Amino acid sequence: MIDGLPFAVFQPFIDTATGRIAGVEALARLRDAHGEARSAGPLFADPKTPPAALRRLDRQVREDALRRFHQAPADWFLSLNISPRWISRLRPAQPLPSLIQLQRSGIDPARIVFEITELGGASQRLTDVVSRYRDAGARIAIDDFGAGYSQLDRVLALQPDILKLDMRLFQEAARGGPSGEVVKALAQMAEKTGCWIIAEGVETEAELNFALECGARYVQGFLFAKAEEELFASDAFVGRFARLRDNYVQQKLAERARLVNLRQQLAELMSELRLWAESGAPATSLKAPDHYPWLLRIYQCDRHGTQLTPNLEWRQGTWQADDRYLGHNWSWRPYFYQLLAEGWEERRLTLSTTYRDATTNQYCLTAGQFIDNGRRLLLVDIDAAGL
């Protein structure tokens, strides 16, 4: 099986800024007796496969990829998978087989990305080997970031140039799963450390949209191309990507329009609430919030963030008071210091960014405005999911 004519296939990385192919990942294939290509992945995953045979297979595929990469445009990069499990078998100071192959190929090391496919083994030696790759001029990527052995401390120790988001975690998040905020946070962390993000496994338009939401520099997946033996033209997906990107932009514009409409409705609501709050009228005098289905609660704080009034919530056709949070201080919440920073001088309405509420665990926005000559803050919590 392992001697089944191994060869490399290439799956492209699409640059989200241009829609052009920026590089390719080399993947292993075997050709069976009927000439059909099949993935070598099951062999690598099978613990019964002899490690020496796998190393031979991997090096044969890498040799084929480097030889054929000479046909690629000069501005492309080639991503080659490296398993740390095999690094542990290297002798100290032993020349790295992958660097020997790269030197023989004559390809500029700056065009090569060594992709660490897992972080489970060779912890001591891995840092040294990665340093040697980098000294040779190559870049480093970490695959499956956010899952398994991809601990943050190991990532910080290796200081990769590229992080590939874990495909299963990414796809679940793109479907609206609870991991969405986790993936966004991982992407933001990567961006702050200077890493480029690759979103792999992009198979649907929703997954592409989520990749763009995460700030991915490159996307990879069946939405554009499967891994093929032949190289695609650099501009093969420019038109398709442009249409999909335009769809994404139109969705974001629609979200922005909804936000503008929300602000208009909020201005109307806050005008009514301000008159009510400053008059000291009872909650029974408030109208039903029929035009504001996103309204969660109304409350007031002093300018130091301490809650002065019960939460008022519309339930079962009436305003109901919840006094559990009287005396709680919310000055540490993002919406509050945003209000202090932006809303005091002009007494204007301020709307926070989306956040997860500390008590209800739901996604909210908070609108606020100073009233009573700046002595109190009138606050309205909004259900972000409804928007």
Side-chain angles (χ1 to χ4, degrees):
M1 292 174 63
I2 294 179
D3 292 329
L5 300 176
F7 63 99
V9 292
F10 302 104
Q11 188 172 33
F13 300 109
I14 310 299
D15 189 326
T16 56
T18 65
R20 297 175 64 85
I21 296 175
V24 289
E25 178 181 4
L27 300 169
R29 295 290 185 269
L30 294 168
R31 206 179 301 280
D32 62 21
H34 304 288
E36 297 293 326
R38 54 188 175 83
S39 173
L43 285 176
F44 285 94
D46 187 349
K48 297 179 182 178
T49 308
L54 285 181
R55 288 198 301 276
R56 186 176 75 251
L57 168 63
D58 184 66
R59 289 171 188 172
Q60 287 177 317
V61 171
R62 193 179 305 132
E63 196 78 37
D64 182 50
L66 288 166
R67 176 180 58 80
R68 290 163 49 215
F69 190 63
H70 282 285
Q71 305 166 17
D75 59 346
W76 284 21
F77 65 87
L78 172 64
S79 181
L80 299 172
N81 294 316
I82 301 291
S83 172
R85 288 179 299 170
W86 301 343
I87 290 174
S88 63
R89 298 175 181 272
L90 296 171
R91 298 184 302 276
Q94 176 185 346
L96 301 179
S98 49
L99 288 183
I100 294 172
Q101 286 181 301
L102 178 57
Q103 187 176 22
R104 279 202 309 259
S105 74
I107 293 173
D108 182 356
R111 299 179 64 197
I112 299 299
V113 173
F114 286 112
E115 185 174 321
I116 310 301
T117 57
E118 60 191 64
L119 293 180
S123 58
Q124 288 296 110
R125 198 164 298 172
L126 180 58
T127 303
D128 174 63
V129 169
V130 164
S131 178
R132 291 165 68 182
Y133 285 148
R134 189 170 277 120
D135 289 343
R139 288 177 290 174
I140 304 300
I142 289 179
D143 195 10
D144 295 337
F145 179 59
Y149 286 107
S150 299
Q151 306 101 324
L152 293 181
D153 58 339
R154 299 288 296 280
V155 171
L156 293 172
L158 297 180
Q159 297 183 346
D161 305 284
I162 298 170
L163 289 173
K164 296 184 74 173
L165 297 173
D166 177 68
M167 184 167 67
R168 283 169 293 192
L169 186 69
F170 169 79
Q171 290 178 335
E172 178 193 340
R175 290 191 295 268
S179 58
E181 292 304 310
V182 174
V183 174
K184 287 180 183 179
L186 291 172
Q188 289 173 0
M189 188 214 73
E191 185 178 10
K192 289 178 180 178
T193 57
C195 292
W196 288 345
I197 288 290
I198 292 179
E200 63 176 333
V202 176
E203 300 178 0
T204 67
E205 187 170 352
E207 289 166 357
L208 174 63
N209 290 347
F210 187 71
L212 296 175
E213 189 81 26
C214 290
R217 175 64 188 272
Y218 305 113
V219 293
Q220 175 188 18
F222 292 173
L223 182 62
F224 297 101
K226 296 182 179 180
E228 300 286 353
E229 192 168 355
E230 299 300 322
L231 296 169
F232 291 94
S234 290
D235 60 356
F237 308 106
V238 168
R240 176 169 173 74
F241 184 83
R243 289 190 295 274
L244 293 169
R245 183 180 56 213
D246 287 347
N247 290 345
Y248 170 75
V249 171
Q250 291 305 313
Q251 289 183 28
K252 302 308 287 185
L253 288 174
E255 289 178 14
R256 182 64 183 175
R258 289 194 293 272
L259 185 60
V260 169
N261 183 57
L262 171 65
R263 283 186 174 275
Q264 292 172 345
Q265 291 181 306
L266 270 172
E268 297 170 2
L269 174 63
M270 292 295 276
S271 179
E272 297 174 12
L273 292 178
R274 180 171 187 164
L275 292 174
W276 163 79
E278 291 186 332
S279 71
T284 53
S285 66
L286 281 174
K287 297 178 183 177
D290 297 332
H291 300 296
Y292 313 111
W294 35 259
L295 178 62
L296 290 175
R297 64 190 66 89
I298 303 164
Y299 55 105
Q300 298 175 50
C301 292
D302 66 21
R303 61 176 295 102
H304 303 294
T306 300
Q307 187 161 335
L308 300 173
T309 66
N311 288 343
L312 289 179
E313 301 178 7
W314 183 259
R315 295 197 304 267
Q316 299 174 342
T318 184
W319 288 104
Q320 298 187 23
D322 180 356
D323 59 7
R324 289 178 297 169
Y325 304 106
L326 282 172
H328 286 216
N329 187 279
W330 308 114
S331 60
W332 55 278
R333 296 300 295 168
Y335 62 79
F336 194 88
Y337 49 77
Q338 186 177 350
L339 257 172
L340 291 180
E342 299 180 19
W344 165 241
E345 290 300 327
E346 301 177 12
R347 314 299 203 269
R348 66 186 182 88
L349 174 66
T350 300
L351 183 63
S352 75
T353 55
T354 303
Y355 66 94
R356 189 187 289 272
D357 185 78
T359 55
T360 64
N361 209 33
Q362 65 188 133
Y363 288 105
C364 301
L365 298 93
T366 295
Q369 192 169 32
F370 282 100
I371 62 172
D372 193 19
N373 198 29
R375 288 188 287 269
R376 287 181 288 159
L377 280 161
L378 177 60
L379 298 158
V380 171
D381 285 349
I382 296 162
D383 182 5
L387 303 175

